[in-house]
Amino acid sequence: MTTAPPTFRRVVGRYVSGRPLDGRTGYPYLTRGAGRWPGWKRQALRLGAPAATVLTVVEPHQSIGVASTAAAVAAWRGRKQLRRRRFDRAYVAPTLTAIRTPLGLETGVTLHVDPQLGNLTPRLAKPLSPAEQAVRLWYGQRIEPVLRYLPDRVQRLTWWMQEQAKPWTQKLEVFRRPGEQLGPRIELTVQTPYLTAEQRQLVSAIINSKVPVSDLVESWDQVGAQVTARWTVRKRPPAQVGYDRVLEHIDRLAEWEFYVGQGPGDRPVILSLRDDSPHIAVSAGSGAGKSVLAQLIAVQVLRRGGRVIILDRKGSHRWALGVDRVDYCTKPEQMHEALIRAAELANKRNDDALHEADDWDPGPRVLVICEELNATIGQLTNYWAEIREKSDPKRSPAVNALGEILFMGRSAKVNVLAIAQMLTARAIGGPEARENFGIRCLARYTVNAWKMLVPEAGMPRSSRTLGRWQIVVGGVATEVQVAYLNSRQAKALAKPAESPDSALSSDVTGNGNKMTLRQASDAGVIPWGYNAAKMRLHRTDKAAAPKPCGSDGKAFLYERADLERWASRTTSG
């Protein structure tokens, strides 16, 4: 069966519309497709060339202006095409060759690389000779100001009109459908339905080697008949995060969750001392903001009724002076006693937990901040060497206490935030103790510091932005701009949210007039111990028993007045 030749009408229609004259498909109007030009360019050439020829014959004087304009446009486009070809020869063509060979695909692989990415285009620039520099200087001083005068005025007028129309255009935004904002990117399309993990890893390595752009986000789409990979510029965290952002998140979180700042795409970053890790390791160079990060965690502990112990020889936490429920230890003897008391509290809570239900709440959270741990451990060791008797153990009890807290802090709600410029295993009491830090925060780090603390995570480039941290949890590093609080803001946030003026002891906490049964027993609101009070509560008639009014973790909260009324009735009866 033979195909009939196209009619004259069809050929004319294809010519005028910019489609291939032989009727081939795959040549769209707006994009290039399988052809060299998109359809609209072919249409403009087919219709414009005859019109220009006729104009030249009929109106010779007008044709001079048309020809000069066309020549200028052609020169501009030719210069642009030459730049693009040079760019493709340097980056796109070699990368395609490197990808096609191991995949075994001679065709069906396309690659798009935006020249705006990184410094790809400036890398291709060649040094100018003295003559070229002189010509460019003369052109920039004499010619370009004249050529740019009118376009600059038009652009300024356009900006002014857009500013004037903004009140109306903003109202029309509700009717605009959100589209995919691609921006500068590297995009690879492979005409195959699937690539294995090894092949994807190989392609990624080739892209990163042949196209020198750092800090890109990689995504793969293997749904459908082709595989598409895209590398886009990572949306960095904001340059500054302050008090307003902290206030926005701090009271929405659970008792064990802590807001630390904003991450990529301006998303909040939350750490969990229950799910992620009970202890936090902070390693950074001098002036990177280690004390700012520790302060942010501390004020959230205090705001929820907890207690903070600060071991700080150099006085980095002046905001904590005079703040309730803060033990500020600046002398070795103070640090020694504070660590031993914290370990005893953790041991007591762990012993009590053996006889309680799984959801038992041991009491208020205690946070131990160890500033400059390398020096602190040495001071504690020296102090113990001075005061110990011959019968005493050689190892400092305070150092032992710190190790005990690290191994049992989760269930006891006694957490350690260890700060050091170089958090070595010797500084923290051995590699086993250091493994208890599941949350590790690094800033202004060196290659040695990164490999020592988080070798399982790929090392990003260290940022010079003040307050910019890499927080690693489970081997995944997240770039975070840590929120900054001044002393006044920190003191304000350190007050409990519902009862700012209340001062609580290390073993008793409450939420305003609300407290758990254990807190009521420890505070003397009810005359029995916790276990006896719990048994009496189960035996009391439901009508006479105090009604829960909330929860603190998994423990019920009761109104203080209801507990006092229940205690008086039970005692008098």
Side-chain angles (χ1 to χ4, degrees), residues 81 90 137 160 177 250 275-277 303 360 459 528 553 558:
Q81 288 292 335
L137 180 62
W160 179 82
R177 292 182 177 179
I250 192 172
D275 302 326
D276 296 331
S277 170
R303 188 172 181 83
W360 174 69
M459 189 185 80
W528 316 289
Y558 301 90

Side-chain angles (χ1 to χ4, degrees), residues 8-295:
F8 177 76
R9 182 180 299 176
R10 288 182 179 178
V11 173
V12 172
R14 293 169 185 170
Y15 180 88
V16 173
S17 62
R19 293 178 292 169
L21 298 181
D22 56 3
R24 290 176 295 172
T25 59
Y27 297 81
Y29 185 76
L30 295 178
T31 59
R32 187 173 64 180
R36 187 174 181 181
W37 288 355
W40 67 270
K41 285 189 177 182
R42 290 192 297 271
Q43 183 184 41
L45 178 62
R46 292 173 182 177
L47 300 181
T53 302
V54 172
L55 184 62
T56 303
V57 175
V58 178
E59 296 289 345
H61 298 290
Q62 296 182 6
S63 64
I64 297 176
V66 174
S68 61
T69 303
V73 172
W76 176 77
R77 292 189 61 83
R79 183 167 176 263
K80 186 177 180 181
Q81 288 292 335
L82 288 175
R83 286 184 175 180
R84 183 66 196 191
R85 288 187 179 182
R86 185 183 176 193
F87 182 87
D88 290 345
R89 284 197 305 268
Y91 297 115
V92 179
T95 306
L96 276 175
T97 303
I99 292 174
R100 286 170 176 165
T101 302
L103 294 183
L105 299 173
E106 294 299 327
T107 59
V109 182
T110 58
L111 178 66
H112 168 81
V113 180
D114 277 317
Q116 295 87 354
L117 283 171
N119 61 344
L120 294 180
T121 301
R123 286 171 64 98
L124 302 178
K126 298 180 179 180
L128 301 177
S129 66
E132 290 174 322
Q133 292 180 359
V135 171
R136 287 178 177 268
L137 180 62
W138 175 82
Y139 177 85
Q141 293 177 345
R142 303 293 180 86
I143 305 300
E144 188 161 359
V146 178
L147 297 178
R148 291 300 310 168
Y149 179 81
L150 183 59
D152 286 345
R153 295 303 183 274
V154 173
Q155 185 64 62
R156 291 181 183 182
L157 177 62
T158 303
W159 288 339
W160 179 82
M161 294 174 63
Q162 290 175 348
E163 189 66 27
Q164 298 301 315
K166 187 177 291 186
W168 291 274
T169 56
Q170 287 179 341
K171 295 180 180 179
L172 297 177
E173 289 294 328
V174 296
F175 299 102
R176 179 175 297 178
R177 292 182 177 179
E180 187 178 13
Q181 304 295 327
L182 296 179
R185 68 196 185 282
I186 301 171
E187 190 166 276
L188 176 72
T189 303
V190 184
Q191 298 299 329
T192 184
Y194 179 73
L195 291 180
T196 64
E198 292 78 10
Q199 289 175 318
R200 295 197 302 271
Q201 186 176 3
L202 176 61
V203 169
S204 178
I206 293 173
I207 291 290
N208 291 325
S209 299
K210 302 295 291 183
V211 185
V213 180
S214 60
D215 207 19
L216 294 178
V217 179
E218 178 181 337
S219 62
W220 288 82
D221 182 6
Q222 301 203 90
V223 177
Q226 66 181 20
V227 176
T228 302
R230 184 177 296 160
W231 291 262
T232 55
V233 179
R234 185 185 302 275
K235 294 182 179 179
R236 309 300 294 273
Q240 293 180 343
V241 179
Y243 176 76
D244 294 339
R245 287 294 186 92
V246 178
L247 203 60
E248 177 184 351
H249 298 285
I250 192 172
D251 291 329
R252 300 180 181 179
L253 303 177
E255 188 273 338
W256 55 85
E257 293 179 333
F258 296 86
Y259 169 78
V260 292
Q262 299 295 118
D266 202 20
R267 296 189 299 270
V269 177
I270 310 298
L271 300 180
S272 173
L273 294 183
R274 186 186 70 174
D275 302 326
D276 296 331
S277 170
H279 309 297
I280 303 173
V282 178
S283 176
S286 179
K290 300 186 291 292
S291 299
V292 172
L293 176 57
Q295 174 202 68

Side-chain angles (χ1 to χ4, degrees), residues 312-492:
D312 181 21
R313 181 69 170 172
K314 62 180 184 179
S316 301
H317 294 271
R318 295 182 179 87
W319 66 270
L321 296 174
V323 176
D324 292 333
R325 292 167 286 113
V326 174
D327 293 336
Y328 202 155
C329 306
T330 59
K331 299 291 189 294
E333 55 270 23
Q334 297 173 337
M335 301 177 188
H336 182 93
E337 295 298 331
L339 284 174
I340 292 176
R341 288 198 305 269
E344 290 174 350
L345 175 63
N347 277 314
K348 179 179 180 301
R349 289 180 172 183
N350 275 337
D351 292 340
D352 293 343
L354 294 175
H355 308 286
E356 302 293 342
D358 293 339
D359 58 350
W360 174 69
D361 181 13
R365 187 174 301 278
V366 178
L367 177 67
V368 181
I369 298 177
C370 302
E371 277 280 356
E372 298 298 340
L373 191 60
N374 303 78
T376 300
I377 294 296
Q379 292 169 5
L380 291 172
T381 302
N382 294 337
Y383 172 73
W384 178 245
E386 293 175 359
I387 68 170
R388 91 176 176 89
E389 302 292 339
K390 291 184 178 181
S391 59
D392 293 332
K394 293 184 179 181
R395 184 178 171 88
S396 168
V399 177
N400 287 336
L402 178 60
E404 291 177 7
I405 295 172
L406 292 176
F407 282 102
M408 62 180 178
R410 187 190 298 271
S411 59
K413 288 176 65 174
V414 179
N415 311 107
V416 175
L417 194 153
I419 302 174
Q421 291 193 20
M422 184 68 72
L423 193 62
T424 61
R426 184 177 62 180
I428 199 62
E432 298 84 2
R434 194 171 64 182
E435 288 303 311
N436 289 286
F437 292 97
I439 302 173
R440 304 188 179 188
C441 312
L442 297 95
R444 294 187 182 177
Y445 42 82
T446 62
V447 175
N448 289 336
W450 186 275
K451 289 183 177 180
M452 180 184 65
L453 284 179
V454 285
E456 71 280 5
M459 189 185 80
R461 181 181 300 176
S462 180
S463 175
R464 295 184 179 180
T465 303
L466 186 62
R468 186 65 53 86
W469 289 76
Q470 294 288 343
I471 296 182
V472 184
V473 179
V476 178
T478 303
E479 188 178 25
V480 182
Q481 182 67 30
V482 171
Y484 173 77
L485 301 174
N486 58 36
S487 297
R488 180 180 56 82
Q489 294 167 344
K491 288 179 179 290

